[in-house]
Amino acid sequence: MRDDLQEIVDEVSRLLDAPATLEDPDFTLLAFCAQGDEALTGLDAVRTRSILTRGSTADTRRWFAGFGIDRATGPLRTPADPDAGILTRLCLPVRHRGRLHGWLWLLDEGRTDLEHPDQPGLAEARRLADRAGELLATRPGSDDAADLHPALAGDEPATHRLADRLGADTPVTLVALRPGEAGLPGTWVPPGAGARSAAVGPLVAVLLPLPHVADDRPAVALSAAALHRLPAGSTAGVAAPRRGCRSLPAQWREAVDAARVAAVEPALAPVASWGELGAWRQVVQLAGPDPAFAALLEDPVLTRTAEVWLDRAGSPQRAAAELVVHRQTLYYRLGRIAALTGLDLADGGDRLALHLTLRSARLTAGDHGSRTTARGSTRVDGLMRGDR
């Protein structure tokens, strides 16, 4: 395929008499034609960097995206920016069946007349761009990635297509990768042979076939490898394995919830499996902390004291040691907690209610931090949160 794409770029460059590049939707360079050594002197800084590094910077990607290249269905021109070392470009969207697979870029110095899109050279270049789209649509995992996102929301046709390609009874699991505050890198390729990935809001869903339904270790290993390539503070969640693709929505909720917990529970960070969440599996089902405990939650010292004391099974000695306070100070704080909440801390039910709301508050605070970087539609946001 690489040779075929290179031939397309060479021919488009010849047709429009301009240096040409082919990039995928992540702005990863796939092929280029400089039209001989003498053409190298006409390259702008952005294109030279793209050729040398096989990619573009985040700022460059945002600059070009601002001109609507991701929505374009026909040729368009992007302007020059002399201060940034950017020349004017002709952009030919590379699509197949309406889906964007990248762009053909030409440094034509503005010569191509877009007022007459049917002129022979431009019309043939557009046909070649469509051919590049057909080729890119056949890349391994390309169709799987397109079907994965709707399958997570329960789209039956997409689920059936995935099942046909993977096998109806193949053991699979889902991984939710939750990037840190810096967000997802512009060029993302999940590690691991056979993995399929799709962006879901600020998260990445990775569908992974497994050798055995009772063994999610390959998914944990993939998650650990992926986190090395994501920003600091990133976490991952692994769903319980199932056979086939029928349970992908449920598995996605499990993976998202496990990644949420890994972000707030150091003992489970940075990769948490659904099967190891324990009581957190009940906490993630809650809509949020009980409003009846709002007064306590406004006091960070008492909130921390209550959580440590409960996590240490109500042991004054262990809780005081972890909090680095005198035991009498701990008793005083517990009295204040009882007064603020109206709970009987000697009652198991009251202690359970308090523990659940404290963990729910921690989880909600972690979710709020991730939502500051969330993007996309309501449907995407719902998938991101694992709404039920």
Side-chain angles (χ1 to χ4, degrees):
M1 181 192 301
R2 184 176 296 276
D3 290 341
D4 291 338
L5 292 175
Q6 184 62 57
E7 288 180 6
I8 288 174
V9 173
D10 291 344
E11 181 62 12
V12 170
S13 178
R14 185 193 67 79
L15 285 167
L16 297 179
D17 191 27
T21 56
L22 173 64
E23 294 179 333
D24 69 11
D26 289 324
F27 287 78
T28 299
L29 183 67
L30 303 177
F32 69 93
C33 176
Q35 283 200 315
D37 293 340
E38 70 280 0
L40 293 174
T41 59
L43 303 185
D44 66 1
V46 168
R47 189 170 184 276
T48 301
R49 184 167 56 246
S50 176
I51 292 171
L52 292 176
T53 65
R54 310 295 298 186
S56 301
T57 67
D59 288 341
T60 298
R61 293 192 293 269
R62 282 193 292 270
W63 193 84
F64 283 108
F67 297 105
I69 61 173
D70 55 342
R71 302 184 300 275
T73 57
L76 76 158
R77 184 167 299 286
T78 59
D81 183 352
D83 292 339
I86 299 175
L87 301 176
T88 184
R89 281 167 165 72
L90 171 64
C91 175
L92 300 178
V94 174
R95 293 183 177 273
H96 181 62
R97 295 179 180 176
R99 182 180 169 207
L100 180 69
H101 290 278
W103 305 273
L104 274 164
W105 298 96
L106 292 109
L107 291 173
D108 66 344
E109 300 178 340
R111 293 188 302 270
T112 307
D113 183 6
L114 297 188
E115 295 296 324
H116 300 89
D118 294 330
Q119 58 188 288
L122 182 56
E124 179 62 12
R126 295 180 68 181
R127 187 191 69 77
L128 289 168
D130 291 340
R131 174 58 183 155
E134 292 177 14
L135 290 171
L136 291 173
T138 65
R139 287 184 298 178
S142 178
D143 289 335
D144 293 335
D147 286 330
L148 180 54
H149 191 295
L152 299 181
D155 182 274
E156 291 189 6
T159 301
H160 290 321
R161 288 192 294 269
L162 280 174
D164 288 343
R165 289 191 288 270
L166 290 174
D169 293 321
T170 299
V172 299
T173 190
L174 274 169
V175 173
L177 297 172
R178 177 177 168 136
E181 291 184 4
L184 190 67
T187 55
W188 168 252
V189 179
R196 286 85 169 165
S197 69
V200 183
L203 306 185
V204 174
V206 183
L207 176 64
L208 184 67
L210 299 172
H212 305 289
V213 74
D215 186 3
D216 66 359
R217 287 178 298 178
V220 175
L222 178 145
S223 301
L227 291 176
H228 281 296
R229 298 158 57 185
L230 290 175
S234 300
T235 61
V238 180
R242 271 93 151 175
R243 290 192 178 274
C245 299
R246 294 179 297 275
S247 300
L248 288 182
Q251 286 179 291
W252 178 237
R253 291 193 292 268
E254 292 176 358
V256 170
D257 284 338
R260 293 169 64 206
V261 173
V264 299
E265 176 52 73
L268 296 173
V271 181
S273 297
W274 176 254
E276 66 179 344
L277 293 189
W280 281 102
R281 289 202 293 269
Q282 283 69 51
V283 176
V284 297
Q285 306 292 329
L286 301 176
D290 189 335
F293 299 110
L296 171 63
L297 296 176
E298 290 174 358
D299 188 320
V301 173
L302 293 183
T303 296
R304 169 70 176 156
T305 298
E307 191 163 22
V308 169
W309 179 69
L310 290 166
D311 284 344
R312 300 298 167 262
S315 166
Q317 181 177 358
R318 294 170 61 198
E322 182 166 337
L323 292 166
V324 194
V325 298
H326 194 276
R327 200 176 305 181
Q328 288 302 120
T329 301
L330 174 66
Y331 288 137
Y332 169 77
R333 291 182 184 177
L334 293 175
R336 291 281 298 128
I337 291 167
L340 276 175
T341 61
L343 297 176
D344 178 1
L345 297 183
D347 179 82
D350 282 1
R351 287 159 77 160
L352 175 60
L354 178 59
H355 210 171
L356 287 173
T357 207
L358 290 170
R359 287 196 169 185
S360 182
R362 185 143 54 102
L363 195 63
T364 299
D367 289 342
H368 178 73
S370 73
R371 282 198 296 269
T372 61
T373 60
R375 303 176 298 278
S377 65
T378 302
R379 181 167 176 265
V380 168
D381 290 340
L383 282 171
M384 180 189 71
R385 294 191 301 269
D387 288 350
R388 293 162 183 84

